[in-house]
Amino acid sequence: MIRLAAAGDWWIDFGDGLRLRVRRASTGDLAAARLAAAMAADNHCDPPAREGAAAEMWAVALGQRLILDWEGVLGPDDEPAPADAANVAELLSYPDIAERFLDEIAAPWPGLPPAPALRLAATG
């Protein structure tokens, strides 16, 4: 069972004072991020560079759409940095942060009941 109209946002707590306030990804968000990743990958000739660019752009494109606010991110002047597109791209250039962000975005939506267990039929 799934409950529709689950709205709102939540915080991802990274520890050490870093928190990201994010919203749920829509199908449109995922499609736009996929397109941005493919376009970034097209600029590279060799396959490893293409894969790396696509992975980084996937995280950045999703982050620019889904990160609403943050805490614990300072700019070069040691003042809180705004959660704008350029700063989101810079934050998600850190592989550990990008990986955790993607893991949290892909996790089951907070507040939804767990999915029913899958039962396979016995064959005989």
Side-chain angles (χ1 to χ4, degrees), residues 10-14 99-108:
W10 74 98
W11 287 91
I12 302 171
D13 189 352
F14 287 78
E99 184 176 346
R100 171 80 188 281
F101 167 74
L102 292 173
D103 286 348
E104 293 285 336
I105 292 300

Side-chain angles (χ1 to χ4, degrees), residues 6-118:
D9 51 64
W10 74 98
W11 287 91
I12 302 171
D13 189 352
F14 287 78
D16 293 327
L18 175 60
R19 292 178 4 128
L20 305 179
R21 187 167 64 97
V22 298
R23 68 174 178 82
R24 179 178 59 93
S26 70
T27 303
D29 293 322
L30 297 175
R34 190 174 296 116
L35 178 61
M39 289 172 34
D42 283 345
N43 294 329
H44 299 278
C45 295
D46 65 283
R50 215 175 10 253
E51 283 182 33
E56 183 175 352
M57 195 57 205
W58 167 253
V60 168
L62 277 177
Q64 289 171 335
R65 290 178 148 57
L66 304 180
I67 295 173
L68 304 173
D69 198 7
W70 57 29
E71 295 174 356
V73 180
L74 301 178
D77 57 359
D78 287 335
E79 293 295 320
D84 60 24
N87 288 338
V88 166
E90 186 172 349
L91 179 70
L92 294 176
S93 71
Y94 293 94
D96 291 345
I97 293 174
E99 184 176 346
R100 171 80 188 281
F101 167 74
L102 292 173
D103 286 348
E104 293 285 336
I105 292 300
W109 173 250
L112 286 181
L118 176 65

